[in-house]
């Protein structure tokens, strides 16, 4: 079994653009994800592009952790705090 656990990181960025309207950005990142993608050759031609399958969201734990990140981000926006 793989005992590596995903790590959730949530970043907040507050800035003021030139028109004086305040904006912010919330970015959620999944580090140490469980899903593993693959890269395969598309042909024998070394110049051809490979076939890349990122396998994003193929693992249920990864999906659950990202869903929790979205819930926390939503709570911060709506209530000013995250639990």
């Amino acid at each position: 079994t793989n005992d590596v656990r995903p790590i959730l990181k949530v970043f907040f960025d507050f800035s003021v653009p030139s028109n004086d309207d305040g904006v912010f950005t919330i970015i959620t990142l999944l580090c140490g994800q469980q899903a593993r993608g693959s890269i395969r050759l598309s042909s024998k031609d070394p110049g051809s592009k490979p076939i890349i399958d990122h396998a994003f969201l193929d693992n249920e734990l990864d999906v659950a952790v990202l869903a929790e990140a979205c819930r926390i981000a939503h709570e911060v926006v709506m209530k000013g705090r995250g639990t």
Side-chain angles (χ1 to χ4, degrees):
T1 63
N2 186 351
D3 62 352
V4 177
R5 295 185 183 145
I7 299 169
L8 170 66
K9 296 192 180 231
V10 180
F11 295 95
F12 298 92
D13 175 38
F14 300 91
S15 59
V16 178
S18 60
N19 62 359
D20 292 331
D21 290 337
V23 298
F24 66 94
T25 303
I26 298 176
I27 301 170
T28 57
L29 300 174
L30 181 63
C31 303
Q33 65 276 7
Q34 302 295 302
R36 295 290 179 251
S38 64
I39 300 175
R40 296 183 293 126
L41 298 176
S42 60
S43 74
K44 292 182 180 183
D45 176 9
S48 66
K49 294 182 179 181
I51 299 169
I52 301 173
D53 176 12
H54 298 282
F56 293 137
L57 305 180
D58 277 358
N59 182 279
E60 290 181 18
L61 180 58
D62 292 348
V63 173
V65 170
L66 284 173
E68 179 66 4
C70 291
R71 187 198 66 74
I72 292 170
H74 180 265
E75 189 170 319
V76 167
V77 170
M78 299 307 290
K79 298 180 181 177
R81 60 179 167 74
T83 57

